[in-house]
């Protein structure tokens, strides 16, 4: 299933994409696409409803982030060996973990707002993982059972704030709109192998990132089990799993986002996003 949220920001309703790509209203079954709504029990209940029996949503509503009110938005850094190389950094011996503040969550087609004086805002197409059941100290072999689904994420990053302002990466990863998530939460049963997904990002119509989750250093199962040693993952939590090469920081000369730029990005089977860049005042 492809679950989504549609409507004005802050007033999104839950929806389901039917086999013809139309949105069906899920508000009769769930209040919103929350952690609770993506539990195995709730997903089984949604699965039983015939999409054609659900109300059809007309028009072209805005699409919101595909999960509502996650408690955590965790990110993995330098998780593709070729991206680590373009960043001039070694592949880390253990996953690099940082936090994106949940206030950065944004719809997949919403404008991306860069900070007033930002000179180094950058893009990163990434595979997103949405947790479906509580995971604490779990084994790698059990990890994928805790995943409700997958989605496309753009892990927007202000490189100066991230790397030149001391302290933790979260400062460069969390500006409002720096976390477009969606358009859909694709349930795990529809993703045969999360380590075989092509992914790409176009800047102003030119392909700049072209990779595959096959070249991740630490795969999804490893990451979920690994994180669960340090803190409990809860239903609805988002993990964004790192980016392949082709970010602006790695270009020669470096190329960062400017107002008017358009990013289009996608992952096989998980849908596409498009954002226009504007500058915050
Ligand atoms: Zn990233």
């Amino acid at each position: 299933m492809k679950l989504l949220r549609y409507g004005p920001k802050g007033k999104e309703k839950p929806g389901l994409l039917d086999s013809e790509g139309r949105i069906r209203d899920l508000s009769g079954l769930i209040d919103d696409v929350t952690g609770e709504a993506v539990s195995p029990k709730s997903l089984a209940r949604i699965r039983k409803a015939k999409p054609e029996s659900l109300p059809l949503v007309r028009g072209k509503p805005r699409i919101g982030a595909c999960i509502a009110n996650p408690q955590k938005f965790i990110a993995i850094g330098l998780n593709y060996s070729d991206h680590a190389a373009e960043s001039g950094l070694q592949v880390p011996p253990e996953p690099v973990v940082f936090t994106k503040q949940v206030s950065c969550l944004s719809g997949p087609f919403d404008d991306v707002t860069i900070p007033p004086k930002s000179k180094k805002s950058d893009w990163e197409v990434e595979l997103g993982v949405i947790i479906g059941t509580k995971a604490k100290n779990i084994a790698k072999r059990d990890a994928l059972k805790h995943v409700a689904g997958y989605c496309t994420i753009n892990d927007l990053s202000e490189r100066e704030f991230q790397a030149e302002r001391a302290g933790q990466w979260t400062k460069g990863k969390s500006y409002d709109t720096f976390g477009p998530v969606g358009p859909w939460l694709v349930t795990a049963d529809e993703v045969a192998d999360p380590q075989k997904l092509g992914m790409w990002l176009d800047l102003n119509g030119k392909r700049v990132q072209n990779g595959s989750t096959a070249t991740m250093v630490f795969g999804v199962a490893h990451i979920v089990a690994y994180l669960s040693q340090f803190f409990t993952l809860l239903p609805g939590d988002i993990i964004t799993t790192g980016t392949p090469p082709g970010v602006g920081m790695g270009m020669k000369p470096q190329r960062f986002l400017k107002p008017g730029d358009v990013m289009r990005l996608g992952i096989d089977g998980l849908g596409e996003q498009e954002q226009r860049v504007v500058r915050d005042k």
Side-chain angles (χ1 to χ4, degrees), residues 80-115:
Y80 287 75
S81 51
D82 27 13
H83 170 62
E86 75 173 347
S87 308
L89 296 163
Q90 299 280 323
V91 170
E94 292 192 47
V96 169
V97 178
F98 63 93
T99 297
K100 286 178 81 74
Q101 303 302 325
V102 292
S103 49
C104 79
L105 275 176
S106 193
F109 304 103
D110 292 349
D111 287 348
V112 161
T113 306
I114 60 175

Side-chain angles (χ1 to χ4, degrees), residues 2-257:
K2 294 184 173 75
L3 304 178
L4 59 100
R5 300 171 63 248
Y6 66 95
K9 196 171 176 72
K11 292 184 178 163
E12 292 91 345
K13 288 180 161 186
L16 173 82
L17 200 76
D18 71 17
S19 57
E20 287 166 55
R22 296 176 303 188
I23 301 174
R24 300 284 178 164
D25 180 17
L26 275 180
S27 359
L29 286 174
I30 53 175
D31 291 337
D32 201 346
V33 185
T34 57
E36 197 183 342
V38 300
S39 70
K41 199 171 156 192
S42 168
L43 289 179
R45 193 166 146 257
I46 299 169
R47 216 167 259 128
K48 273 191 197 147
K50 291 198 168 57
E52 57 276 18
S53 71
L54 300 166
L56 185 64
V57 176
R58 306 207 176 267
K60 287 234 172 226
R62 170 187 171 270
I63 306 294
C66 62
I67 185 84
N69 307 318
Q71 197 186 79
K72 298 186 218 47
F73 192 174
I74 305 294
I76 307 298
L78 305 174
N79 199 27
Y80 287 75
S81 51
D82 27 13
H83 170 62
E86 75 173 347
S87 308
L89 296 163
Q90 299 280 323
V91 170
E94 292 192 47
V96 169
V97 178
F98 63 93
T99 297
K100 286 178 81 74
Q101 303 302 325
V102 292
S103 49
C104 79
L105 275 176
S106 193
F109 304 103
D110 292 349
D111 287 348
V112 161
T113 306
I114 60 175
K117 291 179 182 165
S118 167
K119 292 189 193 88
K120 295 190 178 179
S121 289
D122 202 351
W123 54 85
E124 296 190 342
V125 59
E126 305 200 359
L127 173 66
V129 175
I130 311 287
I131 297 297
T133 52
K134 182 177 156 181
K136 181 177 179 180
N137 293 324
I138 56 164
K140 186 176 167 184
R141 64 176 178 280
D142 297 323
L144 294 185
K145 290 182 222 156
H146 294 269
V147 173
Y150 300 92
C151 60
T152 302
I153 294 183
N154 191 354
D155 174 22
L156 286 136
S157 309
E158 215 299 344
R159 303 299 186 191
E160 185 199 351
F161 297 179
Q162 178 188 352
E164 298 168 33
R165 297 285 295 274
Q168 301 196 342
W169 287 10
T170 192
K171 290 194 290 188
K173 296 282 192 171
S174 302
Y175 202 71
D176 284 359
T177 74
F178 270 27
V181 172
W184 317 311
L185 186 165
V186 180
T187 51
D189 57 294
E190 289 192 13
V191 179
D193 185 349
Q195 305 307 144
K196 279 188 186 157
L197 303 173
M199 59 209 297
W200 53 272
L201 185 145
D202 291 346
L203 178 67
N204 301 329
K206 186 174 168 249
R207 184 127 313 175
V208 290
Q209 289 195 278
N210 193 5
S212 166
T213 59
T215 66
M216 275 187 191
V217 178
F218 303 106
V220 174
H222 184 104
I223 290 167
V224 171
Y226 179 83
L227 294 176
S228 83
Q229 302 172 76
F230 305 109
F231 42 80
T232 302
L233 293 166
L234 294 172
D237 283 353
I238 306 170
I239 305 166
T240 191
T241 56
T243 199
V247 300
M249 178 178 62
M251 291 180 170
K252 290 188 179 72
Q254 293 182 327
R255 161 67 161 97
F256 296 111
L257 293 168

Side-chain angles (χ1 to χ4, degrees), residues 123 203-204 255-263 275-277:
W123 54 85
L203 178 67
N204 301 329
R255 161 67 161 97
F256 296 111
L257 293 168
K258 308 188 290 270
D261 282 342
V262 175
M263 293 166 282
Q275 297 107 25
R276 179 171 293 274
V277 177

